[in-house]
Amino acid sequence: VPGQVSIAGFDDAASARFSQPPLTTVRQPLVEMAAMAARLLISGVARSAERTTAATDDLPPFVLVVRASTGPPGG
């Protein structure tokens, strides 16, 4: 790693920075996601029969944190 294989994780746990090699991760905005879920439940949108598609436009931004566990694409 990362010579022939790239590895990535999610949640950007503190241990990802200290692993060998440091792990590339996706940082999820957990506080914002929880607040959004609570608002949806309170407003009743989550249970609405009218809304059948995912609300991907409403998602808070995720961040790719690139570290040493990923390399360039091979060819």
Side-chain angles (χ1 to χ4, degrees):
V1 174
Q4 296 177 341
V5 173
S6 290
I7 297 177
F10 62 95
D11 284 345
D12 196 31
S15 60
R17 287 175 269 173
F18 303 111
S19 66
Q20 287 300 321
L23 182 64
T24 295
T25 62
V26 175
R27 183 178 298 145
Q28 300 180 86
L30 298 177
V31 172
E32 292 88 349
M33 291 167 58
M36 180 180 290
R39 283 193 305 272
L40 287 170
L41 288 171
I42 291 168
S43 69
V45 172
R47 296 184 200 144
S48 173
E50 297 172 9
R51 189 172 185 143
T52 59
T53 60
T56 56
D57 291 341
D58 297 334
L59 291 177
F62 291 74
V63 177
L64 178 63
V65 182
V66 179
R67 295 191 180 102
S69 68
T70 53

